[in-house]
Amino acid sequence: GDMTVAIGLALEAAVILGIPLFASESPSLSQSIQTASDKLTLMPKRIRTKTKKVKDDF
């Protein structure tokens, strides 16, 4: 097989990012979006992804 990311590394990244993997309660979507937004504000601007306007006029 091909070399891939180990499951332990993926689990560790989830813990660092605060993503609950084995929680019985799942947070609401708006709460998750707010938490992610709060974490993104702590990152330097060059790391943040820029939102692109979607051109959906056909």
Side-chain angles (χ1 to χ4, degrees), residues 7-45:
I7 188 70
L9 184 59
L11 293 175
E12 187 175 341
V15 169
I16 290 171
L17 295 174
I19 301 170
L21 298 175
F22 304 106
S24 60
E25 291 183 23
S26 60
S28 67
L29 181 59
S30 60
Q31 183 182 8
S32 297
I33 291 172
Q34 183 61 40
T35 302
S37 177
D38 292 343
K39 289 181 183 179
L40 284 175
T41 57
L42 299 174
M43 296 180 134
K45 287 185 180 181

PDB file of all heavy atoms in Angstrom, residues 7-45:
ATOM      1  N   ILE A   7      -3.346   7.028  11.543  1.00  0.00           N
ATOM      2  CA  ILE A   7      -4.592   7.366  12.218  1.00  0.00           C
ATOM      3  C   ILE A   7      -4.318   8.136  13.505  1.00  0.00           C
ATOM      4  O   ILE A   7      -5.084   9.025  13.876  1.00  0.00           O
ATOM      5  CB  ILE A   7      -5.451   6.114  12.474  1.00  0.00           C
ATOM      6  CG1 ILE A   7      -6.837   6.487  13.004  1.00  0.00           C
ATOM      7  CG2 ILE A   7      -4.754   5.180  13.455  1.00  0.00           C
ATOM      8  CD1 ILE A   7      -7.710   7.144  11.994  1.00  0.00           C
ATOM      9  N   GLY A   8      -3.224   7.850  14.165  1.00  0.00           N
ATOM     10  CA  GLY A   8      -2.880   8.562  15.391  1.00  0.00           C
ATOM     11  C   GLY A   8      -2.650  10.036  15.136  1.00  0.00           C
ATOM     12  O   GLY A   8      -3.043  10.887  15.937  1.00  0.00           O
ATOM     13  N   LEU A   9      -2.023  10.350  14.019  1.00  0.00           N
ATOM     14  CA  LEU A   9      -1.783  11.749  13.661  1.00  0.00           C
ATOM     15  C   LEU A   9      -3.099  12.462  13.357  1.00  0.00           C
ATOM     16  O   LEU A   9      -3.302  13.606  13.761  1.00  0.00           O
ATOM     17  CB  LEU A   9      -0.850  11.838  12.458  1.00  0.00           C
ATOM     18  CG  LEU A   9      -0.423  13.228  12.026  1.00  0.00           C
ATOM     19  CD1 LEU A   9       0.289  13.953  13.158  1.00  0.00           C
ATOM     20  CD2 LEU A   9       0.478  13.149  10.818  1.00  0.00           C
ATOM     21  N   ALA A  10      -3.999  11.773  12.679  1.00  0.00           N
ATOM     22  CA  ALA A  10      -5.306  12.361  12.382  1.00  0.00           C
ATOM     23  C   ALA A  10      -6.094  12.591  13.671  1.00  0.00           C
ATOM     24  O   ALA A  10      -6.735  13.627  13.833  1.00  0.00           O
ATOM     25  CB  ALA A  10      -6.092  11.457  11.438  1.00  0.00           C
ATOM     26  N   LEU A  11      -6.042  11.654  14.613  1.00  0.00           N
ATOM     27  CA  LEU A  11      -6.738  11.818  15.888  1.00  0.00           C
ATOM     28  C   LEU A  11      -6.129  12.951  16.702  1.00  0.00           C
ATOM     29  O   LEU A  11      -6.844  13.727  17.335  1.00  0.00           O
ATOM     30  CB  LEU A  11      -6.704  10.516  16.679  1.00  0.00           C
ATOM     31  CG  LEU A  11      -7.505   9.354  16.083  1.00  0.00           C
ATOM     32  CD1 LEU A  11      -7.280   8.087  16.896  1.00  0.00           C
ATOM     33  CD2 LEU A  11      -8.966   9.686  15.973  1.00  0.00           C
ATOM     34  N   GLU A  12      -4.819  13.055  16.694  1.00  0.00           N
ATOM     35  CA  GLU A  12      -4.138  14.123  17.424  1.00  0.00           C
ATOM     36  C   GLU A  12      -4.505  15.493  16.847  1.00  0.00           C
ATOM     37  O   GLU A  12      -4.750  16.447  17.591  1.00  0.00           O
ATOM     38  CB  GLU A  12      -2.630  13.921  17.375  1.00  0.00           C
ATOM     39  CG  GLU A  12      -1.861  14.882  18.230  1.00  0.00           C
ATOM     40  CD  GLU A  12      -0.370  14.585  18.264  1.00  0.00           C
ATOM     41  OE1 GLU A  12       0.039  13.464  17.932  1.00  0.00           O
ATOM     42  OE2 GLU A  12       0.384  15.497  18.617  1.00  0.00           O
ATOM     43  N   ALA A  13      -4.570  15.587  15.536  1.00  0.00           N
ATOM     44  CA  ALA A  13      -4.966  16.844  14.897  1.00  0.00           C
ATOM     45  C   ALA A  13      -6.396  17.207  15.275  1.00  0.00           C
ATOM     46  O   ALA A  13      -6.701  18.380  15.519  1.00  0.00           O
ATOM     47  CB  ALA A  13      -4.831  16.729  13.378  1.00  0.00           C
ATOM     48  N   ALA A  14      -7.274  16.226  15.344  1.00  0.00           N
ATOM     49  CA  ALA A  14      -8.660  16.491  15.737  1.00  0.00           C
ATOM     50  C   ALA A  14      -8.732  17.009  17.160  1.00  0.00           C
ATOM     51  O   ALA A  14      -9.502  17.928  17.466  1.00  0.00           O
ATOM     52  CB  ALA A  14      -9.498  15.228  15.582  1.00  0.00           C
ATOM     53  N   VAL A  15      -7.930  16.459  18.046  1.00  0.00           N
ATOM     54  CA  VAL A  15      -7.920  16.917  19.437  1.00  0.00           C
ATOM     55  C   VAL A  15      -7.402  18.344  19.527  1.00  0.00           C
ATOM     56  O   VAL A  15      -7.963  19.186  20.223  1.00  0.00           O
ATOM     57  CB  VAL A  15      -7.071  15.964  20.314  1.00  0.00           C
ATOM     58  CG1 VAL A  15      -6.834  16.557  21.684  1.00  0.00           C
ATOM     59  CG2 VAL A  15      -7.755  14.617  20.440  1.00  0.00           C
ATOM     60  N   ILE A  16      -6.338  18.643  18.790  1.00  0.00           N
ATOM     61  CA  ILE A  16      -5.761  19.988  18.803  1.00  0.00           C
ATOM     62  C   ILE A  16      -6.768  21.004  18.274  1.00  0.00           C
ATOM     63  O   ILE A  16      -6.889  22.102  18.806  1.00  0.00           O
ATOM     64  CB  ILE A  16      -4.457  20.024  17.977  1.00  0.00           C
ATOM     65  CG1 ILE A  16      -3.367  19.242  18.715  1.00  0.00           C
ATOM     66  CG2 ILE A  16      -4.006  21.454  17.719  1.00  0.00           C
ATOM     67  CD1 ILE A  16      -2.121  19.023  17.905  1.00  0.00           C
ATOM     68  N   LEU A  17      -7.512  20.633  17.246  1.00  0.00           N
ATOM     69  CA  LEU A  17      -8.490  21.540  16.657  1.00  0.00           C
ATOM     70  C   LEU A  17      -9.804  21.578  17.423  1.00  0.00           C
ATOM     71  O   LEU A  17     -10.685  22.367  17.116  1.00  0.00           O
ATOM     72  CB  LEU A  17      -8.761  21.146  15.210  1.00  0.00           C
ATOM     73  CG  LEU A  17      -7.567  21.307  14.272  1.00  0.00           C
ATOM     74  CD1 LEU A  17      -7.890  20.748  12.905  1.00  0.00           C
ATOM     75  CD2 LEU A  17      -7.171  22.765  14.173  1.00  0.00           C
ATOM     76  N   GLY A  18      -9.938  20.702  18.409  1.00  0.00           N
ATOM     77  CA  GLY A  18     -11.147  20.701  19.227  1.00  0.00           C
ATOM     78  C   GLY A  18     -12.325  20.023  18.570  1.00  0.00           C
ATOM     79  O   GLY A  18     -13.470  20.331  18.858  1.00  0.00           O
ATOM     80  N   ILE A  19     -12.053  19.082  17.689  1.00  0.00           N
ATOM     81  CA  ILE A  19     -13.116  18.357  17.009  1.00  0.00           C
ATOM     82  C   ILE A  19     -13.459  17.120  17.836  1.00  0.00           C
ATOM     83  O   ILE A  19     -12.629  16.234  17.997  1.00  0.00           O
ATOM     84  CB  ILE A  19     -12.681  17.933  15.589  1.00  0.00           C
ATOM     85  CG1 ILE A  19     -12.317  19.164  14.777  1.00  0.00           C
ATOM     86  CG2 ILE A  19     -13.748  17.095  14.916  1.00  0.00           C
ATOM     87  CD1 ILE A  19     -11.650  18.859  13.465  1.00  0.00           C
ATOM     88  N   PRO A  20     -14.675  17.053  18.369  1.00  0.00           N
ATOM     89  CA  PRO A  20     -15.044  15.887  19.166  1.00  0.00           C
ATOM     90  C   PRO A  20     -15.274  14.669  18.265  1.00  0.00           C
ATOM     91  O   PRO A  20     -16.056  14.730  17.324  1.00  0.00           O
ATOM     92  CB  PRO A  20     -16.334  16.311  19.869  1.00  0.00           C
ATOM     93  CG  PRO A  20     -16.910  17.350  18.981  1.00  0.00           C
ATOM     94  CD  PRO A  20     -15.746  18.037  18.315  1.00  0.00           C
ATOM     95  N   LEU A  21     -14.575  13.599  18.545  1.00  0.00           N
ATOM     96  CA  LEU A  21     -14.705  12.401  17.722  1.00  0.00           C
ATOM     97  C   LEU A  21     -15.610  11.353  18.360  1.00  0.00           C
ATOM     98  O   LEU A  21     -16.304  10.623  17.678  1.00  0.00           O
ATOM     99  CB  LEU A  21     -13.320  11.798  17.461  1.00  0.00           C
ATOM    100  CG  LEU A  21     -12.360  12.687  16.688  1.00  0.00           C
ATOM    101  CD1 LEU A  21     -10.997  12.039  16.603  1.00  0.00           C
ATOM    102  CD2 LEU A  21     -12.902  12.977  15.309  1.00  0.00           C
ATOM    103  N   PHE A  22     -15.580  11.270  19.673  1.00  0.00           N
ATOM    104  CA  PHE A  22     -16.308  10.214  20.357  1.00  0.00           C
ATOM    105  C   PHE A  22     -17.302  10.782  21.361  1.00  0.00           C
ATOM    106  O   PHE A  22     -17.633  10.141  22.342  1.00  0.00           O
ATOM    107  CB  PHE A  22     -15.336   9.274  21.059  1.00  0.00           C
ATOM    108  CG  PHE A  22     -14.313   8.697  20.122  1.00  0.00           C
ATOM    109  CD1 PHE A  22     -13.003   9.131  20.152  1.00  0.00           C
ATOM    110  CD2 PHE A  22     -14.660   7.740  19.192  1.00  0.00           C
ATOM    111  CE1 PHE A  22     -12.053   8.608  19.291  1.00  0.00           C
ATOM    112  CE2 PHE A  22     -13.733   7.221  18.319  1.00  0.00           C
ATOM    113  CZ  PHE A  22     -12.418   7.650  18.375  1.00  0.00           C
ATOM    114  N   ALA A  23     -17.796  11.973  21.118  1.00  0.00           N
ATOM    115  CA  ALA A  23     -18.731  12.610  22.045  1.00  0.00           C
ATOM    116  C   ALA A  23     -20.146  12.116  21.775  1.00  0.00           C
ATOM    117  O   ALA A  23     -20.531  11.891  20.634  1.00  0.00           O
ATOM    118  CB  ALA A  23     -18.675  14.122  21.898  1.00  0.00           C
ATOM    119  N   SER A  24     -20.919  11.965  22.842  1.00  0.00           N
ATOM    120  CA  SER A  24     -22.296  11.516  22.669  1.00  0.00           C
ATOM    121  C   SER A  24     -23.184  12.655  22.173  1.00  0.00           C
ATOM    122  O   SER A  24     -24.155  12.432  21.493  1.00  0.00           O
ATOM    123  CB  SER A  24     -22.843  10.957  23.980  1.00  0.00           C
ATOM    124  OG  SER A  24     -22.809  11.953  24.980  1.00  0.00           O
ATOM    125  N   GLU A  25     -22.851  13.887  22.533  1.00  0.00           N
ATOM    126  CA  GLU A  25     -23.605  15.045  22.066  1.00  0.00           C
ATOM    127  C   GLU A  25     -22.804  15.748  20.975  1.00  0.00           C
ATOM    128  O   GLU A  25     -21.619  15.981  21.117  1.00  0.00           O
ATOM    129  CB  GLU A  25     -23.837  16.037  23.195  1.00  0.00           C
ATOM    130  CG  GLU A  25     -24.777  15.560  24.263  1.00  0.00           C
ATOM    131  CD  GLU A  25     -25.008  16.629  25.314  1.00  0.00           C
ATOM    132  OE1 GLU A  25     -24.812  17.820  25.017  1.00  0.00           O
ATOM    133  OE2 GLU A  25     -25.368  16.250  26.429  1.00  0.00           O
ATOM    134  N   SER A  26     -23.470  16.086  19.902  1.00  0.00           N
ATOM    135  CA  SER A  26     -22.784  16.851  18.868  1.00  0.00           C
ATOM    136  C   SER A  26     -23.209  18.308  18.990  1.00  0.00           C
ATOM    137  O   SER A  26     -24.390  18.603  19.137  1.00  0.00           O
ATOM    138  CB  SER A  26     -23.127  16.309  17.479  1.00  0.00           C
ATOM    139  OG  SER A  26     -24.513  16.395  17.261  1.00  0.00           O
ATOM    140  N   PRO A  27     -22.243  19.221  18.935  1.00  0.00           N
ATOM    141  CA  PRO A  27     -22.592  20.643  19.061  1.00  0.00           C
ATOM    142  C   PRO A  27     -23.385  21.098  17.836  1.00  0.00           C
ATOM    143  O   PRO A  27     -23.298  20.510  16.767  1.00  0.00           O
ATOM    144  CB  PRO A  27     -21.238  21.339  19.142  1.00  0.00           C
ATOM    145  CG  PRO A  27     -20.280  20.395  18.520  1.00  0.00           C
ATOM    146  CD  PRO A  27     -20.827  19.019  18.761  1.00  0.00           C
ATOM    147  N   SER A  28     -24.137  22.152  18.015  1.00  0.00           N
ATOM    148  CA  SER A  28     -24.920  22.667  16.896  1.00  0.00           C
ATOM    149  C   SER A  28     -23.988  23.221  15.822  1.00  0.00           C
ATOM    150  O   SER A  28     -22.834  23.570  16.096  1.00  0.00           O
ATOM    151  CB  SER A  28     -25.876  23.754  17.371  1.00  0.00           C
ATOM    152  OG  SER A  28     -25.131  24.879  17.790  1.00  0.00           O
ATOM    153  N   LEU A  29     -24.488  23.294  14.622  1.00  0.00           N
ATOM    154  CA  LEU A  29     -23.674  23.762  13.502  1.00  0.00           C
ATOM    155  C   LEU A  29     -23.225  25.200  13.720  1.00  0.00           C
ATOM    156  O   LEU A  29     -22.065  25.535  13.477  1.00  0.00           O
ATOM    157  CB  LEU A  29     -24.448  23.629  12.193  1.00  0.00           C
ATOM    158  CG  LEU A  29     -23.711  24.062  10.930  1.00  0.00           C
ATOM    159  CD1 LEU A  29     -22.440  23.251  10.750  1.00  0.00           C
ATOM    160  CD2 LEU A  29     -24.611  23.917   9.732  1.00  0.00           C
ATOM    161  N   SER A  30     -24.120  26.051  14.198  1.00  0.00           N
ATOM    162  CA  SER A  30     -23.749  27.454  14.403  1.00  0.00           C
ATOM    163  C   SER A  30     -22.674  27.580  15.481  1.00  0.00           C
ATOM    164  O   SER A  30     -21.779  28.418  15.376  1.00  0.00           O
ATOM    165  CB  SER A  30     -24.965  28.283  14.769  1.00  0.00           C
ATOM    166  OG  SER A  30     -25.548  27.807  15.961  1.00  0.00           O
ATOM    167  N   GLN A  31     -22.740  26.739  16.501  1.00  0.00           N
ATOM    168  CA  GLN A  31     -21.712  26.766  17.549  1.00  0.00           C
ATOM    169  C   GLN A  31     -20.369  26.300  16.989  1.00  0.00           C
ATOM    170  O   GLN A  31     -19.325  26.876  17.300  1.00  0.00           O
ATOM    171  CB  GLN A  31     -22.132  25.887  18.719  1.00  0.00           C
ATOM    172  CG  GLN A  31     -21.159  25.913  19.878  1.00  0.00           C
ATOM    173  CD  GLN A  31     -21.603  24.984  21.009  1.00  0.00           C
ATOM    174  OE1 GLN A  31     -22.546  24.215  20.863  1.00  0.00           O
ATOM    175  NE2 GLN A  31     -20.914  25.057  22.124  1.00  0.00           N
ATOM    176  N   SER A  32     -20.380  25.281  16.140  1.00  0.00           N
ATOM    177  CA  SER A  32     -19.150  24.793  15.529  1.00  0.00           C
ATOM    178  C   SER A  32     -18.541  25.835  14.602  1.00  0.00           C
ATOM    179  O   SER A  32     -17.320  26.022  14.577  1.00  0.00           O
ATOM    180  CB  SER A  32     -19.420  23.508  14.747  1.00  0.00           C
ATOM    181  OG  SER A  32     -19.857  22.493  15.603  1.00  0.00           O
ATOM    182  N   ILE A  33     -19.376  26.530  13.848  1.00  0.00           N
ATOM    183  CA  ILE A  33     -18.884  27.574  12.945  1.00  0.00           C
ATOM    184  C   ILE A  33     -18.273  28.710  13.740  1.00  0.00           C
ATOM    185  O   ILE A  33     -17.210  29.232  13.387  1.00  0.00           O
ATOM    186  CB  ILE A  33     -20.021  28.075  12.037  1.00  0.00           C
ATOM    187  CG1 ILE A  33     -20.417  26.984  11.054  1.00  0.00           C
ATOM    188  CG2 ILE A  33     -19.619  29.346  11.301  1.00  0.00           C
ATOM    189  CD1 ILE A  33     -21.655  27.301  10.246  1.00  0.00           C
ATOM    190  N   GLN A  34     -18.912  29.102  14.837  1.00  0.00           N
ATOM    191  CA  GLN A  34     -18.387  30.182  15.670  1.00  0.00           C
ATOM    192  C   GLN A  34     -17.048  29.790  16.291  1.00  0.00           C
ATOM    193  O   GLN A  34     -16.114  30.593  16.337  1.00  0.00           O
ATOM    194  CB  GLN A  34     -19.393  30.556  16.768  1.00  0.00           C
ATOM    195  CG  GLN A  34     -18.950  31.717  17.625  1.00  0.00           C
ATOM    196  CD  GLN A  34     -18.764  32.996  16.824  1.00  0.00           C
ATOM    197  OE1 GLN A  34     -19.549  33.291  15.931  1.00  0.00           O
ATOM    198  NE2 GLN A  34     -17.732  33.745  17.129  1.00  0.00           N
ATOM    199  N   THR A  35     -16.933  28.549  16.755  1.00  0.00           N
ATOM    200  CA  THR A  35     -15.684  28.074  17.346  1.00  0.00           C
ATOM    201  C   THR A  35     -14.562  28.088  16.311  1.00  0.00           C
ATOM    202  O   THR A  35     -13.449  28.531  16.596  1.00  0.00           O
ATOM    203  CB  THR A  35     -15.861  26.659  17.909  1.00  0.00           C
ATOM    204  OG1 THR A  35     -16.917  26.669  18.875  1.00  0.00           O
ATOM    205  CG2 THR A  35     -14.590  26.147  18.563  1.00  0.00           C
ATOM    206  N   ALA A  36     -14.862  27.619  15.104  1.00  0.00           N
ATOM    207  CA  ALA A  36     -13.851  27.625  14.039  1.00  0.00           C
ATOM    208  C   ALA A  36     -13.460  29.050  13.674  1.00  0.00           C
ATOM    209  O   ALA A  36     -12.283  29.340  13.447  1.00  0.00           O
ATOM    210  CB  ALA A  36     -14.383  26.891  12.814  1.00  0.00           C
ATOM    211  N   SER A  37     -14.424  29.939  13.627  1.00  0.00           N
ATOM    212  CA  SER A  37     -14.139  31.337  13.314  1.00  0.00           C
ATOM    213  C   SER A  37     -13.252  31.975  14.381  1.00  0.00           C
ATOM    214  O   SER A  37     -12.331  32.729  14.056  1.00  0.00           O
ATOM    215  CB  SER A  37     -15.452  32.108  13.195  1.00  0.00           C
ATOM    216  OG  SER A  37     -15.200  33.462  12.972  1.00  0.00           O
ATOM    217  N   ASP A  38     -13.529  31.656  15.640  1.00  0.00           N
ATOM    218  CA  ASP A  38     -12.694  32.182  16.725  1.00  0.00           C
ATOM    219  C   ASP A  38     -11.257  31.698  16.606  1.00  0.00           C
ATOM    220  O   ASP A  38     -10.318  32.453  16.845  1.00  0.00           O
ATOM    221  CB  ASP A  38     -13.264  31.768  18.079  1.00  0.00           C
ATOM    222  CG  ASP A  38     -14.589  32.449  18.380  1.00  0.00           C
ATOM    223  OD1 ASP A  38     -14.905  33.461  17.727  1.00  0.00           O
ATOM    224  OD2 ASP A  38     -15.297  31.945  19.281  1.00  0.00           O
ATOM    225  N   LYS A  39     -11.076  30.448  16.232  1.00  0.00           N
ATOM    226  CA  LYS A  39      -9.721  29.911  16.089  1.00  0.00           C
ATOM    227  C   LYS A  39      -9.014  30.521  14.891  1.00  0.00           C
ATOM    228  O   LYS A  39      -7.808  30.754  14.922  1.00  0.00           O
ATOM    229  CB  LYS A  39      -9.767  28.392  15.966  1.00  0.00           C
ATOM    230  CG  LYS A  39     -10.141  27.723  17.276  1.00  0.00           C
ATOM    231  CD  LYS A  39     -10.169  26.243  17.158  1.00  0.00           C
ATOM    232  CE  LYS A  39     -10.611  25.642  18.477  1.00  0.00           C
ATOM    233  NZ  LYS A  39     -10.678  24.193  18.421  1.00  0.00           N
ATOM    234  N   LEU A  40      -9.751  30.782  13.812  1.00  0.00           N
ATOM    235  CA  LEU A  40      -9.139  31.371  12.626  1.00  0.00           C
ATOM    236  C   LEU A  40      -8.668  32.792  12.869  1.00  0.00           C
ATOM    237  O   LEU A  40      -7.697  33.238  12.262  1.00  0.00           O
ATOM    238  CB  LEU A  40     -10.118  31.344  11.451  1.00  0.00           C
ATOM    239  CG  LEU A  40     -10.304  29.994  10.784  1.00  0.00           C
ATOM    240  CD1 LEU A  40     -11.389  30.084   9.724  1.00  0.00           C
ATOM    241  CD2 LEU A  40      -9.014  29.505  10.166  1.00  0.00           C
ATOM    242  N   THR A  41      -9.337  33.522  13.750  1.00  0.00           N
ATOM    243  CA  THR A  41      -8.915  34.896  14.024  1.00  0.00           C
ATOM    244  C   THR A  41      -7.568  34.935  14.735  1.00  0.00           C
ATOM    245  O   THR A  41      -6.887  35.955  14.698  1.00  0.00           O
ATOM    246  CB  THR A  41      -9.953  35.644  14.873  1.00  0.00           C
ATOM    247  OG1 THR A  41     -10.171  34.936  16.080  1.00  0.00           O
ATOM    248  CG2 THR A  41     -11.253  35.815  14.129  1.00  0.00           C
ATOM    249  N   LEU A  42      -7.182  33.836  15.356  1.00  0.00           N
ATOM    250  CA  LEU A  42      -5.895  33.782  16.034  1.00  0.00           C
ATOM    251  C   LEU A  42      -4.740  33.504  15.074  1.00  0.00           C
ATOM    252  O   LEU A  42      -3.590  33.700  15.427  1.00  0.00           O
ATOM    253  CB  LEU A  42      -5.921  32.706  17.127  1.00  0.00           C
ATOM    254  CG  LEU A  42      -6.946  32.925  18.235  1.00  0.00           C
ATOM    255  CD1 LEU A  42      -6.962  31.719  19.175  1.00  0.00           C
ATOM    256  CD2 LEU A  42      -6.649  34.192  19.003  1.00  0.00           C
ATOM    257  N   MET A  43      -5.050  33.043  13.873  1.00  0.00           N
ATOM    258  CA  MET A  43      -4.017  32.707  12.899  1.00  0.00           C
ATOM    259  C   MET A  43      -3.578  33.952  12.136  1.00  0.00           C
ATOM    260  O   MET A  43      -4.353  34.902  11.983  1.00  0.00           O
ATOM    261  CB  MET A  43      -4.539  31.680  11.905  1.00  0.00           C
ATOM    262  CG  MET A  43      -4.894  30.366  12.519  1.00  0.00           C
ATOM    263  SD  MET A  43      -5.491  29.279  11.239  1.00  0.00           S
ATOM    264  CE  MET A  43      -4.576  27.830  11.651  1.00  0.00           C
ATOM    265  N   PRO A  44      -2.347  33.950  11.648  1.00  0.00           N
ATOM    266  CA  PRO A  44      -1.897  35.070  10.814  1.00  0.00           C
ATOM    267  C   PRO A  44      -2.745  35.179   9.546  1.00  0.00           C
ATOM    268  O   PRO A  44      -3.292  34.188   9.071  1.00  0.00           O
ATOM    269  CB  PRO A  44      -0.454  34.696  10.457  1.00  0.00           C
ATOM    270  CG  PRO A  44      -0.056  33.683  11.448  1.00  0.00           C
ATOM    271  CD  PRO A  44      -1.293  32.979  11.881  1.00  0.00           C
ATOM    272  N   LYS A  45      -2.845  36.379   8.996  1.00  0.00           N
ATOM    273  CA  LYS A  45      -3.689  36.596   7.827  1.00  0.00           C
ATOM    274  C   LYS A  45      -3.251  35.770   6.623  1.00  0.00           C
ATOM    275  O   LYS A  45      -4.077  35.367   5.822  1.00  0.00           O
ATOM    276  CB  LYS A  45      -3.709  38.072   7.453  1.00  0.00           C
ATOM    277  CG  LYS A  45      -4.523  38.907   8.397  1.00  0.00           C
ATOM    278  CD  LYS A  45      -4.606  40.338   7.913  1.00  0.00           C
ATOM    279  CE  LYS A  45      -5.439  41.151   8.884  1.00  0.00           C
ATOM    280  NZ  LYS A  45      -5.557  42.543   8.442  1.00  0.00           N
TER     281      LYS A  45
END
